[in-house]
Amino acid sequence: MRPVWSGSLSLGLVTVPVRLYSAVEDHTVHFRQFQRGTEDRIRYRRVNERTGKEVDYDDIVKGYELDSGEYVVVEPEELDEIAPGRSKSLDIESFVELDAIDPMFFDKTYWLAPAKEEFERPYALLLEAMRSSGRAGIAKFVMRGREYLALVRSGDGVMVLNTLHFAADLRDPAEQLPDLPGKAKARGKELDMAVNLIDAMSDDWRPEEYSDTYTDRVRKLIKAKKKGKTITPATEPGEPTKVVDLFEALSKSVESGKSKKKAKPSKDLSSLSKADLEKLARERDIKGRSKMTRAGLEKALKAS
């Protein structure tokens, strides 16, 4: 895997050469564009709008449009010159509690690894220090002509870097949305039932249980069309819930949520700790669970 950026991670007087690698892989099905009814590809080219001729990448510069309609032309080298050192430096400015950062700020995820074996010791020291403290470093760096705000944290044997949105990038819902839903008041019984629904549907976070089912269906569609077959359309979304039926809909949803939780397969019960088994027994409302041994809990869960 090739790094997307290389430079130095700096913390006070400690500097560690590092490389940045993408931690996310794109599994989206990518299509080419064709003119309908033909096999003619649609292509996009960099064309001079005055001459109509294609332009090489090396001959392209950036231009910023002024209010007057004129442009200020900026060369790539000029952009590099105003960020001396920063394009190769990742300076941690402070440390924060990870839970203090609103998820809205998170953007992309990368791995941050030592550039060479000789730098593994200071790298491992910083990694363990962040893990032990439970804090993450806030830093800024320049990559591909753009400055990024970043969060550097301890991962599973490697540092993880998340690029963050700047505060100025986040929109204010009060300014952007004409009618905020907060004007509608939640009623007592409906609110209680909604909370019960959340409780009934609560579970542990197991990311491996989720997959991109839409991409799977796209791949099946392509295979079916290749063989001249068709596939079954996906289910249509449900009708909007009427206000008068809200409480009834919530009640049925609570029962459905409880049924689904009980219907979950009891796989890998032997690998769970007694505390996990007790939690699962509590969710399934198994009687006498507090006095059961580990073997008894596992047996009761399998029978539930």
Side-chain angles (χ1 to χ4, degrees), residues 3-8 18-20 87-89 115:
V4 297
W5 179 88
S6 60
S8 295
V18 291
R19 290 173 179 166
L20 195 66
S87 60
K88 292 295 180 182
S89 178

Side-chain angles (χ1 to χ4, degrees), residues 1-7 18-25 87-88 90 108-113 141-146 148 161-163:
M1 182 186 297
R2 296 182 60 183
V4 297
W5 179 88
S6 60
V18 291
R19 290 173 179 166
L20 195 66
Y21 298 87
S22 178
V24 178
E25 187 175 2
S87 60
K88 292 295 180 182
L90 177 65
K108 295 183 179 179
T109 306
Y110 298 88
W111 291 316
L112 197 62
F141 72 109
V142 174
M143 179 172 64
R144 297 170 182 168
R146 176 184 170 187
Y148 289 88
L161 183 146
N162 292 98
T163 53

Side-chain angles (χ1 to χ4, degrees), residues 44-57 59-61:
Y44 294 93
R45 292 187 171 90
R46 301 170 301 280
V47 176
N48 184 312
E49 66 177 20
R50 179 178 60 82
T51 64
K53 295 181 179 180
E54 191 169 356
V55 181
D56 293 334
Y57 269 119
D59 294 327
I60 297 177
V61 295

Side-chain angles (χ1 to χ4, degrees), residues 45-280:
R45 292 187 171 90
R46 301 170 301 280
V47 176
N48 184 312
E49 66 177 20
R50 179 178 60 82
T51 64
K53 295 181 179 180
E54 191 169 356
V55 181
D56 293 334
Y57 269 119
D58 293 340
D59 294 327
I60 297 177
V61 295
K62 298 179 183 293
Y64 181 82
E65 186 175 7
L66 303 174
D67 293 338
S68 63
E70 297 180 316
Y71 288 87
V72 173
V73 176
V74 180
E75 296 284 348
E77 296 79 9
E78 294 176 307
L79 292 174
D80 292 336
E81 289 174 357
I82 62 172
R86 296 293 262 168
S87 60
K88 292 295 180 182
S89 178
L90 177 65
D91 298 327
I92 294 181
E93 300 179 1
S94 62
F95 284 89
V96 300
E97 297 287 344
L98 192 57
D99 293 343
I101 301 177
D102 191 309
M104 281 190 66
F105 283 92
F106 285 89
D107 188 14
K108 295 183 179 179
T109 306
Y110 298 88
W111 291 316
L112 197 62
K116 293 181 180 180
E117 186 177 345
E118 62 189 273
F119 304 119
E120 288 185 0
R121 184 181 174 188
Y123 175 92
L125 177 64
L126 296 179
L127 177 65
E128 179 60 24
M130 283 191 287
R131 188 198 66 78
S132 299
S133 68
R135 291 183 173 85
I138 299 295
K140 288 200 294 185
F141 72 109
V142 174
M143 179 172 64
R144 297 170 182 168
R146 176 184 170 187
E147 186 174 50
Y148 289 88
L149 182 64
L151 180 82
V152 181
R153 57 189 174 88
S154 172
D156 187 9
V158 66
M159 289 186 193
V160 177
L161 183 146
N162 292 98
T163 53
L164 304 175
H165 298 292
F166 286 98
D169 297 333
L170 301 183
R171 293 176 172 175
D172 184 349
E175 296 178 358
Q176 302 296 328
L177 303 181
D179 295 306
L180 289 178
K183 294 179 180 178
K185 299 298 182 181
R187 298 179 181 178
K189 290 184 177 180
E190 292 174 347
L191 178 58
D192 292 340
M193 191 60 68
V195 172
N196 289 338
L197 175 57
I198 292 174
D199 290 339
M201 295 179 66
S202 296
D203 205 346
D204 294 327
W205 167 234
R206 290 184 287 268
E208 67 278 1
E209 293 186 359
Y210 299 88
S211 61
D212 185 354
T213 56
Y214 175 70
T215 295
D216 292 340
R217 290 186 65 85
V218 171
R219 295 186 187 280
K220 289 180 181 179
L221 172 63
I222 293 171
K223 289 181 179 179
K225 289 182 71 69
K226 183 179 179 181
K227 296 178 180 180
K229 300 179 180 179
T230 59
I231 64 171
T232 305
T235 306
E236 291 288 338
E239 293 292 328
T241 302
K242 297 179 180 178
V243 176
V244 293
D245 300 328
L246 183 57
F247 186 81
E248 183 181 355
L250 286 169
S251 301
K252 291 180 179 179
S253 297
V254 170
E255 293 304 316
S256 176
K258 290 180 179 178
S259 299
K260 287 181 179 179
K261 184 172 290 187
K262 290 181 179 180
K264 281 192 173 183
S266 56
K267 61 180 180 179
D268 297 331
L269 288 179
S270 59
S271 65
L272 299 179
S273 65
K274 186 180 179 183
D276 290 333
L277 292 173
E278 289 174 342
K279 179 181 179 181
L280 193 56

